[in-house]
Amino acid sequence: MKWEPSFIEFAEKHNIDLGISRSYQSRGLLFIPARGGRSEVEELADFSFIRMIRPMPKLRTIDAPTMLKAQRFESVASIPNSNSLDESFRVAIFDGGLPPEHPYGRWVNHIDPPKSTKIGAPVKNFVNHGALVTSAFLFGHVRPGNLERPYASVDHYRVLGNGLTSSSLYDVLIYVDEILSQTNYPIISFSIGPHEVAGDDVTAWTAMLDDHLGSGNCLGGVAVGNDGEKPWPESRIQVPSDCVNALSVGATDSMMESWKRAPYSSIGPGRNPGLIKPDVVAFGGVEGNSFHFISPQLTVVENRGTSFATPYAMRIAAGLKAYLGSDLTPTAIRALMVHSASSNSQPIDEVGWGMVCDVIETITCQDGEIKVLYKGRLEPGKVMRAPIPLPDDQLKGNVEIRATFCYTCNTDPHTPGEYTRAGLDIRFRPHKDKFNKTEARIRKTGKGKIDPLFPDTESFFTKQDFASEADLRSDAHKWDTIRKNSVTKRGTSLNRPVFDIHYVAREPGSNTSPQKAEKIHFSLVVSIYNKNTPDLYEQVQEKYINTLLPIEPKIDIPVKVTT
């Protein structure tokens, strides 16, 4: 017997107006908007299937319209007279819409919501916001003069309007869910969302986006919010930037080497297991050093916020795909962006893995460096071995190995404590002939024998390499969809080093892995740097000519030349 009819009857009895037609269901949870008095809501909580009742948050741009004001500059920018760099894919932006007369028509398809969504007609402030977000994606941080050619074209979905009220949050969510269910965008960008701080429980917005992004076919950028200057916990990242399958983006105050977090940019930690949030930061501007846009009037205007850092970061993601094409999956793009990001010694709760690099710096190697990208799908219970390529000649001095793992997976909002259904158990084996730990264990226990395929492991991401599975299940880092670290080793301590990657699936409420878990999309980026070997790239390429294939750009990459 279904419980919903009984719940509707129970709610009507206590004078609660349920928005059943605007409800959203995800993996065992039903999110329902409702309206009622305090005493009636307290009575509603007595229904046995109720898990939580919380106030309905507003949409961020409705709650903070002051961020939409822009200051006009007395200068004119020149729009490029050419199509986007790569016309084989389009990017979806969900925001406030565009004015009827806008200069982005060559690259942007503006899509109004149908009347059935109850979003309503355009609102000037929201449209202005949508225009600036679109400019940030197309042209980045602009200056007077010739604008750069956009990397990709855009479908801009207007999801804000004058029909929205404080109870309209689910109207927007359901409309976005329908769009994502019927389309196949490799990259999407959100600068909107509930004005709600991420907590221990999962919201409908987070569940909806994680459901779509968990397939690994789409990379979603989500702004973390602009409440970083408020007292804790109001300064914490806002929903749905707590998605584990999304790229959560904060803002910096500068593009210079001395950059810091923009004071308004909301801070982490995220919600377990995605504790490291934001994932990355990008330039968003501050007072005195604002982000610059090309306005619909073809003038340069300025503003600031994570709303603009996010499409700027997703512009870089589109650039990576435009240059490298189908060789890059959305998960690989995410891994490359996180891998190349640098924290600049800033607190991880404020800037995550760091500020994103431009396209060229992300995909090129300096002297003495090589970057290797592994990508594919992992089967549950199987172990994949990823070699860390080194030349035949032993490297002299210190060798830095930096690795970034990214994957996407199904999530379960019904059990926030075990939210991700997949985790990676990663073992680093630096030397193929070292078995000291294995020999010590054999002497101590009198059991086992040396297997030449499994030399000793060393810590790379965690110090719990030899913990039991039960202990590892309590380690949130294992179940986090992004893992990044670096180690420095002497060249003499490296001999055919490898990562062994074990995909462990889980099912809520069970201590054993499910037998029919889905494959997951993953990417691993490994950088090796040795200053004593400036031709490291060439040596490795020659040695692995039949096994490591260089990713060939579809388009000539402009390389910066310094004199």
Side-chain angles (χ1 to χ4, degrees):
M1 177 179 179
K2 292 186 176 181
W3 59 269
E4 288 94 334
S6 299
F7 178 58
I8 294 173
E9 182 180 347
F10 187 85
E12 290 176 347
K13 179 180 178 181
H14 293 282
N15 298 315
I16 297 293
D17 181 17
L18 293 179
I20 291 294
S21 63
R22 295 182 292 163
S23 61
Y24 176 76
Q25 188 167 7
S26 175
R27 303 184 189 277
L29 283 187
L30 181 64
F31 300 89
I32 307 173
R35 184 186 296 273
R38 183 180 183 88
S39 60
E40 289 83 1
V41 169
E42 290 176 349
E43 292 172 348
L44 185 70
D46 291 335
F47 191 80
S48 58
F49 282 88
I50 290 288
R51 174 167 175 164
M52 173 177 287
I53 297 177
R54 53 192 172 197
M56 176 73 77
K58 298 179 181 179
L59 284 165
R60 289 185 220 164
T61 51
I62 293 176
D63 195 55
T66 55
M67 293 302 296
L68 306 180
K69 295 179 181 178
Q71 178 180 345
R72 189 182 298 265
F73 279 6
E74 298 300 327
S75 54
V76 178
S78 177
I79 291 285
N81 187 26
S82 55
N83 294 335
S84 57
L85 198 61
D86 188 344
E87 295 187 280
S88 67
F89 71 97
R90 301 182 70 87
V91 172
I93 291 178
F94 298 88
D95 212 272
L98 294 171
E101 301 297 328
H102 64 79
Y104 318 124
R106 180 186 288 270
W107 313 282
V108 179
N109 180 26
H110 181 219
I111 303 170
D112 269 322
K115 292 182 179 180
S116 59
T117 62
K118 300 180 181 180
I119 288 173
V123 175
K124 182 178 180 180
N125 277 349
F126 300 157
V127 168
N128 289 342
H129 187 269
L132 299 190
V133 165
T134 302
S135 171
F137 175 81
L138 293 176
F139 309 116
H141 174 54
V142 305
R143 296 174 177 83
N146 295 327
L147 299 182
E148 291 187 12
R149 184 181 178 186
Y151 292 126
S153 297
V154 171
D155 286 340
H156 184 123
Y157 291 90
R158 181 172 68 81
V159 295
L160 302 176
N162 63 4
L164 299 182
T165 66
S166 59
S167 61
S168 297
L169 186 68
Y170 280 49
D171 292 325
V172 177
L173 180 149
I174 291 171
Y175 178 45
V176 172
D177 179 49
E178 289 177 353
I179 294 169
L180 294 180
S181 298
Q182 299 168 13
T183 56
N184 187 28
Y185 293 103
I187 298 171
I188 59 177
S189 181
F190 283 89
S191 293
I192 62 165
H195 195 227
E196 179 178 9
V197 171
D200 293 334
D201 284 281
V202 183
T203 66
W205 271 84
T206 300
M208 182 271 292
L209 275 183
D210 266 334
D211 277 350
H212 287 289
L213 301 178
S215 67
N217 297 319
C218 177
L219 174 61
V222 184
V224 299
N226 299 320
D227 286 345
E229 295 177 282
K230 292 184 177 181
W232 179 263
E234 295 175 69
S235 59
R236 194 176 182 184
I237 63 165
Q238 296 187 348
V239 173
S241 65
D242 58 334
C243 288
V244 296
N245 290 318
L247 189 73
S248 304
V249 184
T252 69
D253 63 351
S254 171
M255 301 176 74
M256 307 295 288
E257 290 184 2
S258 58
W259 66 267
K260 295 181 181 179
R261 176 184 66 93
Y264 58 78
S265 183
S266 295
I267 63 175
R271 180 179 45 77
N272 189 4
L275 295 175
I276 299 178
K277 295 288 182 179
D279 292 310
V280 294
V281 288
F283 180 56
V286 291
E287 187 174 356
N289 186 30
S290 295
F291 199 105
H292 294 173
F293 314 83
I294 183 67
S295 76
Q297 293 75 34
L298 291 181
T299 56
V300 177
V301 297
E302 64 176 8
N303 207 329
R304 54 191 180 273
T306 59
S307 290
F308 313 119
T310 301
Y312 179 50
M314 302 320 290
R315 179 178 188 271
I316 295 172
L320 292 171
K321 183 170 180 59
Y323 277 119
L324 301 180
S326 58
D327 283 326
L328 279 193
T329 63
T331 309
I333 295 172
R334 183 182 178 206
L336 281 169
M337 293 179 70
V338 170
H339 186 77
S340 62
S342 172
S343 67
N344 203 20
S345 300
Q346 302 297 310
I348 197 168
D349 282 353
E350 295 189 9
V351 303
W353 300 112
M355 185 168 75
V356 294
C357 295
D358 63 25
V359 174
I360 306 306
E361 188 175 351
T362 299
I363 60 180
T364 54
C365 301
Q366 61 180 314
D367 288 346
E369 181 187 30
I370 184 170
K371 294 178 184 176
V372 180
L373 170 66
Y374 292 95
K375 58 186 176 65
R377 304 190 72 180
L378 295 175
E379 294 188 32
K382 301 292 181 64
V383 177
M384 191 200 83
R385 174 157 289 182
I388 301 172
L390 297 177
D392 286 325
D393 295 336
Q394 188 176 87
L395 298 178
K396 298 178 181 179
N398 288 335
V399 179
E400 181 188 10
I401 301 175
R402 186 156 44 99
T404 303
F405 284 87
C406 285
Y407 67 94
T408 56
C409 66
N410 286 337
T411 55
D412 197 328
H414 191 268
T415 55
E418 297 181 346
Y419 185 58
T420 51
R421 289 191 172 184
L424 297 184
D425 181 9
I426 304 167
R427 305 296 175 97
F428 173 51
R429 304 182 190 274
H431 199 293
K432 73 176 186 66
D433 297 324
K434 295 292 180 68
F435 298 92
N436 296 336
K437 294 178 182 178
T438 305
E439 291 173 347
R441 186 180 71 248
I442 292 173
R443 286 196 300 269
K444 182 177 180 180
T445 63
K447 298 179 181 179
K449 61 180 181 178
I450 292 177
D451 188 334
L453 294 178
F454 298 97
D456 287 345
T457 61
E458 290 187 11
S459 295
F460 198 99
F461 295 102
T462 175
K463 294 182 179 179
Q464 292 184 313
D465 291 275
F466 301 99
S468 66
E469 175 59 22
D471 291 335
L472 286 170
R473 283 183 179 274
S474 66
D475 176 15
H477 195 49
K478 176 181 179 179
W479 303 99
D480 196 340
T481 57
I482 297 179
R483 300 174 73 173
K484 173 182 175 180
N485 200 18
S486 64
V487 298
T488 299
K489 305 282 292 181
R490 299 295 291 177
T492 55
S493 66
L494 297 172
N495 188 350
R496 296 187 184 178
V498 298
F499 284 112
D500 281 349
I501 311 161
H502 180 204
Y503 161 26
V504 182
R506 64 177 169 183
E507 197 168 51
S510 174
N511 290 326
T512 59
S513 297
Q515 294 181 350
K516 296 184 179 180
E518 296 182 3
K519 294 180 180 180
I520 60 171
H521 288 269
F522 91 103
S523 286
L524 161 64
V525 183
V526 181
S527 292
I528 302 99
Y529 174 69
N530 178 240
K531 67 178 182 179
N532 298 317
T533 314
D535 62 341
L536 179 64
Y537 182 93
E538 291 76 13
Q539 289 191 37
V540 171
Q541 186 180 37
E542 182 179 357
K543 178 180 177 180
Y544 293 90
I545 191 169
N546 294 321
T547 54
L548 288 181
L549 300 178
I551 298 178
E552 298 289 348
K554 306 195 307 180
I555 305 166
D556 289 341
I557 298 176
V559 179
K560 297 177 182 179
V561 178
T562 57
T563 57

